Amino acid sequence: MIEDNTQNSAPKSLVQNIAGKIDAFFGMIIGSIQEFILEIGSITLFGFQSIRLLFAKPYRYGEVLKHMEFIGNQSVGIIALTSVFTGLALSFQVYLGFKLVNAVDLVGPTVALGISRELGPVLTGLIVAARAGGAMAARLGTMRVNEQMDALDVMGVNTKQYLIAPRIIAAVVCMPMLTALFDFMAMFGSWFLCTKLVGLDHAVFMSKIRDTVEVHHINEGLLKSAIFGLMFAVVCTYKGFNTSGGAKGVGEATNRGVVMSMVSIIIIDYFLMNFIRIYYLITGVSR
Amino acid sequence: MTPASNSQHKYAVELDDVKKSFDGTEFILKGIDLKVPKGSLTAIIGFSGTGKSVMLKHMLGLYRPTSGNVSILGTNLNTLDDDALTAFRCNYGVLFQSAALFDDMTVLENVCFPLEEHRRQLSKEQVIKIAMEKLKMVGLDPKHNHKLPSQISGGMQKRTGLARALALDPEILIYDEPTTGLDPILTEMVDNLILETHQARPGTTSIMVSHDLKAAFRIADYIVMLDAGKVLLSGKAEDFNKSDNELVRKFVDKGLKH
C-alpha cells in the first residue's frame, strides 16, 4: 500500500508541476497584454491632456518656435541627405525591374507615388522620431530625475503645458514640412539617376509623373506625416515625463520611447493606408 | 508643534491625521498631526525612510493624502483641483537638494523664470532688476549671472536656487535636504544662508527637511522628528535634549556627536 501511494504521488506532482508552469506562462502573457493595454491607455490620456492645454492660457508661442527650430530646422540636413539617396536607390531598383518588361518610362511615376504616399512620410517619421523623439525623451527624463520638473511644479507652472504641449504642436507642424522636403529631394535623386545616369528622357520622365501623380497623393503623405509627428511626440514625451531611476532610467525611457515610436509608425502606416483607400473608394476621389 | 494659540490663522501649515498609502496596504504616513506656526523656522528630522519627503510632497500638494487634511495658509489642499493647486503653489519657494536649476538657462534666467511666469505685468527690465536683487541678497557675485549652472560650484548653485525660490516673495520657504552631500564648510554656509534669509524676511515661514541635527538645533525655532510615518516628538531643541524616548536619544546622541 505504501509503495502504491508513492508511485501515485510522483506522477501527480509532475502533472501539477506542468500545469503550474502552463498556468504561469499564460498568466505572464495575459499580464503583458494587460500592461500593454494599460500603457496605451495612459499614453492616449496623456496625449489628450497635453493637447487640451494647447488651447489654454498662457500660450507658449516662444516655446513652440524653440522646439520647431529643434525638430524642424535641425532635421533639414539629415532629411535632405537621406532622401536623395533613398530616391537614387529606389529609382535604380525600380529601373532594373521595369527594364525587364520594357516599362522604364514608368520609373518616375512609380517612384513618385511610392515616395509621396509611403516612403516620404514613413522614413521622415522614423528619422525624426529617432533624432528629435529620442532627444525629447532624454531631455524630459533628465529634467525628471534632476528634480527640474518638481521645481516647475512647485513654481506653479503646469509642466504638461510648458514642456509637453509645445513639443507636440512643434512635431505636428514640422513633420509635413520635413516630409515635403523629403519628397522633393528624393524625386531630385530619382530624376538625377533616371536622366543623368541611366539615360531616360527628361521630358518623358516629367510628363509621366505629371500624368500620374495628383495633389491628393502628396496630401495623403503629408497628413500621415502629421499623424506620425503626433504619435512620436506623445510617446517620447510620455516616456520622458514618467522617467524614474536616475541615469539608467533616462536611458531606458529614451530607448523605449524611440523603439515604441518607430514600431508604431510602421504599424499605423498600414492602417492609415487602408483607411485612406476606403475613403477614396467612398468619395470617388481616386481609383 | 508648540501652538501659540488654537486660532487657525496662526499656522502656515496644518496636517490633520494625514495618512498615505501608495498601494492601499502599506502606509508610509500613518496619521501625521502637525502644526507649523506662521513666521517660524521649523526643521523636520528623522532617519531615512521615515516619511519626511512624502510628508513634504503633501505640503507642496504634489501628493494627495489617502485620508486626512493638509491645510496651507488656511486653505485645505484637498478642496483644490489640479489647476487651482498649480496656481496656489505660487505661495511656496522651494530649495531642492540638487538645487534643480534649469540647465539650459543662465543663473540670471533661472531667477527671472518664476517672475516671467507669474508677474507678467512686469517689464523685462523690472524682472531683471528684481532677479539681480535676489541674487545679491543670497550673496552671489554678479559676475556669475550669465553663466550656466554647470559652470558654477555647488555652493553657488544652492545660492541661485535660493534666489529663485525667493523670486516671488513666497510666504512659505521649503528647504528639501539642503545640505545633504555637501562638505562641512559648504554645509555651514548653506545653514547660515537659511538663517539669514529667514531673519531678513519676518513673517515668512521656513521649513527645512534635514538629517543634520546640529544645524536643526542651531537654527530652527521648532524641531519635528518623524519615525515610521508618525510624529515621534515635536518641540524646541531643549525638549529633544530632555526626552527619555530611546529613538530620540539615539538620534540626538549620534547626530550631535558627528
Side-chain angles (χ1 to χ4, degrees):
Chain A
M1 284 302 284
I2 294 164
E3 209 171 279
D4 282 348
N5 277 346
T6 317
Q7 277 173 347
N8 284 341
S9 67
K12 246 188 194 175
S13 69
L14 184 68
V15 170
Q16 279 171 346
N17 198 9
I18 292 168
K21 281 188 177 167
I22 292 170
D23 200 33
F25 176 71
F26 281 109
M28 192 185 73
I29 290 175
I30 290 168
S32 302
I33 293 169
Q34 281 176 335
E35 205 175 296
F36 176 74
I37 292 169
L38 269 175
E39 182 152 47
I40 296 292
S42 302
I43 292 173
T44 309
L45 189 65
F46 177 84
F48 277 124
Q49 285 170 345
S50 305
I51 291 164
R52 181 181 67 86
L53 292 168
L54 293 175
F55 308 103
K57 283 184 180 176
Y59 304 118
R60 308 276 184 185
Y61 302 119
E63 285 300 304
V64 172
L65 286 175
K66 193 174 89 181
H67 294 300
M68 280 179 70
E69 195 278 329
F70 175 70
I71 297 168
N73 197 33
Q74 291 187 32
S75 299
V76 165
I78 191 169
I79 292 292
L81 187 69
T82 50
S83 57
V84 169
F85 283 93
T86 304
L88 284 166
L90 180 67
S91 300
F92 192 55
Q93 292 300 332
V94 173
Y95 169 78
L96 291 176
F98 281 14
K99 201 177 165 191
L100 299 173
V101 290
N102 287 328
V104 288
D105 289 354
L106 295 176
V107 172
T110 305
V111 170
L113 283 175
I115 292 283
S116 61
R117 295 202 295 196
E118 286 301 324
L119 285 182
V122 171
L123 287 182
T124 307
L126 295 179
I127 292 165
V128 182
R131 197 195 78 80
M136 278 182 201
R139 173 90 188 110
L140 294 172
T142 307
M143 288 187 78
R144 171 64 75 198
V145 299
N146 287 347
E147 297 183 306
Q148 291 176 43
M149 272 198 214
D150 289 341
L152 281 170
D153 273 329
V154 298
M155 258 182 238
V157 176
N158 188 322
T159 41
K160 279 185 186 152
Q161 192 192 29
Y162 180 70
L163 296 172
I164 310 301
R167 284 175 164 86
I168 292 175
I169 196 166
V172 172
V173 172
C174 287
M175 274 297 291
M177 292 195 268
L178 290 169
T179 302
L181 174 72
F182 188 102
D183 292 353
F184 178 79
M185 294 304 288
M187 285 317 296
F188 170 76
S190 178
W191 170 83
F192 184 80
L193 182 121
C194 292
T195 61
K196 305 293 177 194
L197 299 182
V198 298
L200 296 187
D201 183 68
H202 166 80
V204 173
F205 180 87
M206 296 305 282
S207 70
K208 288 287 179 187
I209 290 176
R210 268 198 297 270
D211 291 347
T212 316
V213 180
E214 293 174 34
V215 173
H216 67 80
H217 291 136
I218 296 166
N219 289 344
E220 182 185 325
L222 300 184
L223 173 70
K224 274 190 193 176
S225 68
I227 294 169
F228 296 158
L230 176 72
M231 269 177 39
F232 84 70
V234 171
V235 169
C236 289
T237 52
Y238 172 84
K239 289 290 179 188
F241 193 81
N242 293 295
T243 299
S244 60
K248 186 172 174 274
V250 175
E252 281 173 5
T254 307
N255 181 35
R256 284 184 189 163
V258 171
V259 170
M260 201 170 174
S261 299
M262 292 173 108
V263 171
S264 309
I265 284 172
I266 290 168
I267 293 171
I268 297 286
D269 176 63
Y270 173 76
F271 291 104
L272 279 176
M273 183 186 77
N274 283 298
F275 284 136
I276 291 168
R277 201 77 213 138
I278 292 166
Y279 172 77
Y280 283 166
L281 288 173
I282 292 168
T283 57
V285 170
S286 176
R287 290 184 296 264
Chain B
M1 251 356 306
T2 313
S5 87
N6 288 330
S7 163
Q8 189 182 13
H9 303 291
K10 286 277 181 189
Y11 304 111
V13 176
E14 288 177 85
L15 272 66
D16 178 21
D17 195 23
V18 171
K19 292 178 183 170
K20 179 67 179 179
S21 170
F22 291 101
D23 58 7
T25 54
E26 192 187 349
F27 279 81
I28 310 296
L29 302 183
K30 297 171 181 167
I32 297 256
D33 288 302
L34 177 71
K35 287 183 167 72
V36 177
K38 268 187 183 173
S40 66
L41 198 167
T42 300
I44 298 169
I45 59 169
F47 294 104
S48 297
T50 51
K52 299 190 297 293
S53 294
V54 175
M55 188 177 85
L56 191 70
K57 288 191 173 176
H58 279 82
M59 289 183 190
L60 293 168
L62 295 174
Y63 289 158
R64 291 192 187 264
T66 307
S67 68
N69 289 315
V70 178
S71 295
I72 306 293
L73 302 167
T75 303
N76 185 343
L77 298 190
N78 289 1
T79 63
L80 303 180
D81 62 19
D82 286 349
D83 290 339
L85 198 54
T86 300
F88 186 79
R89 291 199 187 109
C90 293
N91 291 303
Y92 305 105
V94 182
L95 175 62
F96 288 90
Q97 185 180 339
S98 62
L101 299 176
F102 303 124
D103 47 19
D104 58 343
M105 295 182 191
T106 64
V107 164
L108 186 63
E109 285 167 348
N110 262 284
V111 185
C112 287
F113 183 78
L115 293 161
E116 286 165 350
E117 283 294 313
H118 297 291
R119 303 281 187 271
R120 287 174 182 266
Q121 73 281 9
L122 296 178
S123 66
K124 183 85 184 161
E125 290 73 28
Q126 286 172 311
V127 166
I128 290 173
K129 191 178 165 218
I130 295 170
M132 303 262 274
E133 278 170 15
K134 302 295 178 192
L135 285 165
K136 193 178 166 193
M137 191 187 287
V138 298
L140 195 78
D141 194 321
K143 72 180 179 188
H144 302 299
N145 285 357
H146 298 288
K147 289 181 180 171
L148 290 170
S150 56
Q151 295 168 322
I152 58 175
S153 69
M156 289 177 199
Q157 288 182 10
K158 295 274 181 186
R159 287 179 192 272
T160 309
L162 183 55
R164 188 178 68 180
L166 292 169
L168 295 175
D169 292 320
E171 291 195 48
I172 300 175
L173 268 171
I174 292 178
Y175 303 89
D176 183 10
E177 308 210 5
T179 56
T180 302
L182 299 183
D183 61 61
I185 294 168
L186 212 51
T187 298
E188 197 178 335
M189 183 279 284
V190 173
D191 291 340
N192 289 337
L193 192 60
I194 292 169
L195 187 60
E196 284 160 17
T197 306
H198 182 72
Q199 287 168 345
R201 300 164 57 84
T204 301
T205 307
S206 303
I207 298 170
M208 178 177 78
V209 172
S210 179
H211 286 106
D212 188 352
L213 195 68
K214 262 187 195 168
F217 269 47
R218 191 164 68 85
I219 67 173
D221 300 322
Y222 300 107
I223 302 167
V224 180
M225 185 173 173
L226 295 192
D227 181 57
K230 294 195 96 169
V231 174
L232 187 65
L233 182 64
S234 65
K236 297 195 173 191
E238 51 264 35
D239 298 322
F240 278 75
N241 281 325
K242 285 180 207 160
S243 175
D244 294 330
N245 184 295
E246 195 185 330
L247 265 177
V248 175
R249 286 260 42 94
K250 197 173 161 189
F251 198 81
V252 170
D253 291 343
K254 294 228 172 195
L256 293 180
K257 216 178 269 179
H258 292 290

